Amino acid sequence: DSGVTQTPKHLITATGQRVTLRCSPRSGDLSVYWYQQSLDQGLQFLIQYYNGEERAKGNILERFSAQQFPDLHSELNLSSLELGDSALYFCASSARDLRAGELFFGEGSRLTVL
Amino acid sequence: AQSVAQPEDQVNVAEGNPLTVKCTYSVSGNPYLFWYVQYPNRGLQFLLKYITGDNLVKGSYGFEAEFNKSQTSFHLKKPSALVSDSALYFCAVRSYSGNTPLVFGKGTRLSVIA
């Protein structure tokens, strides 16, 4: 158990809908990262937050947004969903914004868009 | 831009034989290098990392990896494979400097056959 909690584990929705994925980092971790895992693209970095502020942005679509709250949990919002958004979404956390530090991953939220 | 290449989608090895999972990277400046493992329906788990110092890094579950700066490689190795090592393995890199995220390869599926 990594200590990172993600909900929901599975989510099935329709095209055009909006969903919110939630992540609780390990106790004390200030950095939260979101990654998307799909069969054809592998593991793609979406966005990082550190202590409530956006720190780095990757291949995140404009239809997607995220935030980190004062209690350090984070939410990833996906809107106007398309079939291609079906993927496994991972949250990871680390103690600080240390470049040498390893990330601790949750078990992911599997999104299926029908 | 930084990138990771895992040239083999699949590696098959007999139980008890040594295994190697290959990784090459591209990054500006010096790298931080990581290996993660993903078991079915689970998140990624940290195996080992190279920061600086000895080119041979030892990690969890008997795995080790060798950093080769001239070949920009960081191959994962284990002297004697177990069936339980069967999983998806990811190599990842980030630069010493700059605000770049951890970038992952596409993964190599290791299958250890009894």
Side-chain angles (χ1 to χ4, degrees):
Chain A
D1 183 5
S2 67
V4 178
T5 304
Q6 288 187 249
T7 57
K9 291 192 184 304
H10 301 276
L11 191 55
I12 302 174
T13 189
T15 54
Q17 295 299 305
R18 172 189 170 95
V19 298
T20 297
L21 310 180
R22 182 187 169 100
C23 170
S24 294
R26 289 190 321 158
S27 177
D29 283 2
L30 298 178
S31 273
V32 169
Y33 308 76
W34 286 97
Y35 282 84
Q36 179 193 57
Q37 185 181 29
S38 58
L39 285 175
D40 55 342
Q41 294 290 326
L43 204 62
Q44 297 286 313
F45 170 71
L46 295 178
I47 198 162
Q48 178 203 352
Y49 280 84
Y50 176 74
N51 203 19
E53 295 194 1
E54 183 182 305
R55 181 59 62 98
K57 212 167 191 177
N59 299 321
I60 188 166
L61 300 172
E62 285 191 12
R63 300 183 286 108
F64 296 0
S65 65
Q67 56 183 324
Q68 186 180 27
F69 294 88
D71 67 352
L72 301 177
H73 92 272
S74 178
E75 292 181 356
L76 179 67
N77 301 296
L78 315 174
S79 61
S80 302
L81 286 168
E82 302 175 359
L83 295 178
D85 298 328
S86 296
L88 193 52
Y89 292 85
F90 284 110
C91 170
S93 72
S94 64
R96 291 183 286 167
D97 193 19
L98 293 174
R99 310 205 61 74
E102 58 265 34
L103 305 186
F104 295 87
F105 282 79
E107 297 203 346
S109 292
R110 183 172 296 280
L111 173 65
T112 302
V113 182
L114 300 176
Chain B
Q2 53 196 39
S3 64
V4 173
Q6 293 181 241
E8 300 155 317
D9 290 336
Q10 173 99 24
V11 170
N12 298 318
V13 65
E15 187 176 31
N17 282 2
L19 70 87
T20 299
V21 182
K22 295 179 181 177
C23 170
T24 58
Y25 67 90
S26 173
V27 69
S28 297
N30 293 318
Y32 293 126
L33 292 156
F34 302 79
W35 276 101
Y36 286 81
V37 60
Q38 184 181 25
Y39 297 100
N41 301 313
R42 303 297 298 274
L44 279 70
Q45 295 177 33
F46 169 76
L47 275 181
L48 53 79
K49 66 182 177 183
Y50 171 81
I51 304 301
T52 186
D54 194 349
N55 289 342
L56 186 64
V57 178
K58 293 189 183 297
S60 307
Y61 313 120
F63 284 94
E64 57 189 30
E66 186 166 13
F67 171 62
N68 187 317
K69 188 171 183 176
S70 63
Q71 297 186 4
T72 61
S73 67
F74 189 55
H75 301 330
L76 182 70
K77 300 181 180 185
K78 188 174 182 182
S80 178
L82 300 173
V83 172
S84 57
D85 293 330
S86 298
L88 189 57
Y89 290 81
F90 290 93
C91 182
V93 67
R94 74 191 306 186
S95 171
Y96 263 30
S97 59
N99 193 23
T100 53
L102 189 60
V103 172
F104 287 82
K106 292 202 168 186
T108 298
R109 187 163 300 280
L110 173 68
S111 180
V112 181
I113 305 157

